[in-house]
Every structure is written in structure tokens, then in C-alpha cells.
Amino acid sequence: MAPITSSREEFVSLFAWICCQRKSSKSNKTPPYKFVHVLKGVDIYPENLSSKKKFGADDKNEVKNKPALPKNSLHLDLEKRDLNGNFPKTNLKGGSPPDLENVTPKLFSEGEKEGVSPDSLKSNTSLSSEEKQEKLGTLFFSLEYNFEKKTFVVNIKEARGLPAMDEQSMTSDPYIKMTILPEKKHKVKTRVLRKTLDPAFDETFTFYGIPYTQIQELALHFTVLSFDRFSRDDIIGEVLIPLAGLELSDGKMLMNREIIKRNVRKSSGRGELLISLCYQSTTNTLTVVVLKARHLPKSDVSGLSDPYVKVNLYHAKKRISKKKTHVKKCTPNAVFNELFVFDIPCESLEEISVEFLVLDSERGSHDEVIGRLVLAAAAEGTGGEHWREICDSPRRQIAKWHVLCDG
């Protein structure tokens, strides 16, 4: 009986060893890479596009051994943060300087420390009382190009002297969105800092695969916003930085710019929307076809919008149904051709209204309303006329162009 007992023990030991090996091999596997707009506490490193992308690598030597990226690829790399996902605190002064103006960017060699105080960039030029009232604060940031890795590095340091967007608490919850133009699809944003008018972000964004010769053709667009939990985020202002003429070959460049009021759309209008409606009295349904939009105004400095249309059905001022079209990329003249059928809860259209909202798709934040249209019995202009026509002519599809109004 002793040999049998011994063989069983050997089998159990072998089985335990195999299980440990499998568990060890699984633990060494890195989960598949997923793009995250802003990922706290995790570093994202680029790899060759032909291989699977991974995230969560902590070993610096592992990053160095990874293959180089193709020139035409563009990837996002976030700087390391602490275990809680926060950046190290900087000892920057909280008070906003009274007199700041756009100044010539200051050059720093690679050997200098990153935590240079922006106070050295103050301007002695005084502002008039009107300019001080309209002042929206100052944005501090740095630019750098790494020739070895072909990476463009933007560090959003802080903003000072922001206006209070919350009238009750007299403060703001600011964050910053940054876009590389003219390629509007490359967008990043900082985290939201609560209840402060002098937020210290100190967040670094690294873009891979950008040749240095291409830098001169790009521009950076910063949008400063205040987070609002219950409605659309408030836009404080914007900063536009053309990169043409900037010599990033000399090292890190520390800059500051005054935040200006966002470019308001011209009074030429919000564009037009072509829609077709048909009321089926027998089935008590309303068929809505969103056909086209044209002459949509630009949503930002890139001059292009990513429009889509939301359709809301109201009964006695209460929304009972909603639909939306697909997003059309980078166009002021969109063709949708999408049909929606709504069930009407009453026998007539007297208490029914349809709202059309044309929005600009913004990844990672609230979409901005480009224009609005309401069709109802009490609506004015073409909205009322179109509604009366479909009520008077059931089972007939009637299409009309409508001028959009403010959202």
C-alpha cells in the first residue's frame, strides 16, 4: 500500500504545480488596451499598430524595448500620477495677478527644472478698467518636442483669475479641453477641479508620431469650461495658439495667454433644416423624416461641426418620446435621410409638438446646441405653417426648409 500512497502524493503535487503555473501565466498577461480620454492612475504607452495594444505597464525598461511607431499614427500618453490618480501638488500662488498680458514665449533648456514659476512671465503693461472687467483669466502651459521619440508634449499647468460661473457659491468647477487643429478629432481634457478660480491642473499630454516638420502646420485650441452637474457645462472662454514660428528645438517653452471670450456665431443665422412629416389619422402615428441641414455655423475655430439631430415629441408640454440621427463628421451641410415613427397618444395633434435640436457632437463632454426648431399648432413662422399643413392633409408627406433659431 505504500507505493500507492506515494504515487497519489506525487500526483497531487504535480497537479498543484500545474495550477500554480497556469495562475502565474494568467497573472502575467496584460489586459487589452482600451483608449480612455482621461485615465487616472494608469499610464498608457504606445506600441506598434500591427501588434495588440496594452496598458498598465509600469517598468520603464519595458517601454524602451517597444517598437517604434509609424510616422502617420497619433497616440495619447498620459504622465504618471500617484496611486489615487492625482498629480503632485505644486506650490503655485493662488492669487491671480492683476495685470497679465500675452507675452513672448520663454525658452528653457532640457536641463532646467519643469516647475518654473509662471510669475516671471508677468507683463507690466496696465489694462484699462473696461478690459479688467471683461478679463476671463490667464492660462499657463508649456510646449516641448522630443526628437528621439518624435513626440509632441503639452503640459497644462494652471489657470488664474477665472470668473465665477456659480452665482450662489461665487466660484467655478473648471476644467480644460484641448484640441489639435486642423485635425479636430484629436481631443483631450483635464480633470475637473472643484470650487476654485485658480485651478492648478499640472497635467501632461504626449502625442506620438508627429514629425517636427508638421508641428508648424498645427494649432492648439484650449476651451476653458466650468462643470455643471444639472445642465450644460458653462463655457468660460478659449485660447488659440498657432504653432507656426515657434522654435521647439531649443527645449521646453513655457507660455501664458489671456483667456478670451469664445467666438460667437455670426448673426447670419444658425443654418437651415429640411424635414418631412406625415400624419396617419387611421393608425394615429406621426412619421418624421430628417432630410438635410445646410449652412450650419462653425462650432469652434476649426470651422467644422459634427452635426446630428435630436427629435423630441411632446404631449401637453411633457416629452413622451425621443429619437436622434447619426452624427455626420466635419460638415456644415449634412445629409441625414433618417425616418422616425411616433405613436400619438391622443386622437388629434392639437396638444402635440415636435422639437428638433441640431447639435455638434463633442466627445467627452456635453454636446453643444447649434440650432432649434419647434413644430406645433401654436408655433410661429414656418413651424406653425408646416404643422397646420400636415394636420389639414393627413396621409400626405410634406417637406419644408426651416430656419433654425437659438437653442
Side-chain angles (χ1 to χ4, degrees), residues 88-108:
K89 294 183 179 180
T90 53
N91 296 325
L92 295 174
K93 297 179 179 179
S96 59
D99 300 315
L100 281 172
E101 192 172 326
N102 295 355
V103 296
T104 304
K106 186 176 181 180
L107 301 180
F108 294 88

Side-chain angles (χ1 to χ4, degrees), residues 100-102 135 137-139 238-239 256-260:
L100 281 172
E101 192 172 326
N102 295 355
K135 187 174 178 181
T138 307
L139 178 66
E238 65 181 356
V239 174
N256 72 356
R257 287 293 185 273
E258 295 295 324
I259 301 170
I260 63 174

Side-chain angles (χ1 to χ4, degrees), residues 266-378:
K266 297 179 180 179
S267 58
S268 57
R270 300 281 181 169
E272 298 175 76
L273 185 65
L274 176 61
I275 55 174
S276 176
L277 286 86
C278 177
Y279 174 56
Q280 294 285 351
S281 56
T282 54
T283 59
N284 216 28
T285 58
L286 180 66
T287 302
V288 177
V289 185
V290 181
L291 296 169
K292 298 179 181 180
R294 66 186 180 189
H295 309 316
L296 298 179
K298 65 179 182 179
S299 63
D300 52 34
V301 293
S302 67
L304 298 173
S305 300
D306 298 332
Y308 69 97
V309 181
K310 285 182 65 175
V311 185
N312 297 318
L313 182 71
Y314 289 86
H315 175 232
K317 298 184 179 181
K318 179 182 179 181
R319 188 172 69 178
I320 58 175
S321 184
K322 61 180 179 178
K323 308 283 185 180
K324 69 176 181 178
T325 69
H326 292 86
V327 176
K328 301 299 178 180
K329 293 290 185 179
C330 301
T331 177
N333 303 300
V335 179
F336 299 102
N337 286 335
E338 297 192 37
L339 181 146
F340 307 106
V341 178
F342 296 95
D343 292 324
I344 305 301
C346 49
E347 296 182 356
S348 65
L349 298 179
E350 292 181 2
E351 296 183 345
I352 299 295
S353 62
V354 184
E355 178 188 47
F356 299 85
L357 294 175
V358 182
L359 300 101
D360 178 31
S361 177
E362 293 285 348
R363 185 180 62 190
S365 63
H366 292 289
D367 297 340
E368 183 180 359
V369 178
I370 297 176
R372 179 174 180 265
L373 169 67
V374 176
L375 269 66

Side-chain angles (χ1 to χ4, degrees), residues 34-52:
K34 293 183 180 180
F35 176 82
V36 180
H37 199 63
V38 173
L39 187 62
K40 292 186 178 180
V42 178
D43 297 323
I44 301 176
Y45 297 100
E47 292 188 43
N48 196 309
L49 291 178
S50 61
S51 62
K52 292 183 179 180

Side-chain angles (χ1 to χ4, degrees), residues 162-300:
L162 299 180
M165 306 305 291
D166 189 340
E167 296 180 356
Q168 295 181 352
S169 63
M170 291 307 296
T171 186
S172 296
D173 297 327
Y175 68 96
I176 296 176
K177 295 196 312 183
M178 188 191 76
T179 306
I180 297 183
L181 303 178
E183 296 180 351
K184 184 184 174 185
K185 60 182 180 180
H186 304 301
K187 301 176 182 179
V188 295
K189 70 174 183 178
T190 68
R191 67 196 187 283
V192 177
L193 295 183
R194 301 288 183 180
K195 297 183 179 180
T196 177
L197 302 181
D198 304 292
F201 299 103
D202 195 17
E203 298 198 31
T204 301
F205 302 94
T206 303
F207 299 90
Y208 286 81
I210 302 181
Y212 183 72
T213 54
Q214 186 183 350
I215 293 293
Q216 300 292 318
E217 303 172 2
L218 304 177
L220 298 181
H221 181 231
F222 300 91
T223 305
V224 186
L225 304 100
S226 179
F227 174 77
D228 192 327
R229 185 182 300 274
F230 303 105
S231 63
R232 190 181 301 119
D233 293 351
D234 298 314
I235 299 176
I236 297 176
E238 65 181 356
V239 174
L240 177 64
I241 306 294
L243 301 181
L246 298 183
E247 289 296 336
L248 299 179
S249 58
D250 295 333
K252 182 175 296 184
M253 182 177 291
L254 187 62
M255 308 173 67
N256 72 356
R257 287 293 185 273
E258 295 295 324
I259 301 170
I260 63 174
K261 189 175 181 181
R262 188 167 188 182
N263 185 24
V264 182
R265 295 185 182 93
K266 297 179 180 179
S267 58
S268 57
R270 300 281 181 169
E272 298 175 76
L273 185 65
L274 176 61
I275 55 174
S276 176
L277 286 86
C278 177
Y279 174 56
Q280 294 285 351
S281 56
T282 54
T283 59
N284 216 28
T285 58
L286 180 66
T287 302
V288 177
V289 185
V290 181
L291 296 169
K292 298 179 181 180
R294 66 186 180 189
H295 309 316
L296 298 179
K298 65 179 182 179
S299 63
D300 52 34

Side-chain angles (χ1 to χ4, degrees), residues 123-148:
S123 172
N124 294 325
T125 306
S126 61
L127 300 175
S128 65
S129 58
E130 293 183 357
E131 289 175 333
K132 287 182 179 179
Q133 292 177 359
E134 296 179 357
K135 187 174 178 181
L136 301 176
T138 307
L139 178 66
F140 295 88
F141 57 96
S142 67
L143 308 178
E144 185 179 9
Y145 190 84
N146 188 316
F147 288 89
E148 181 180 355

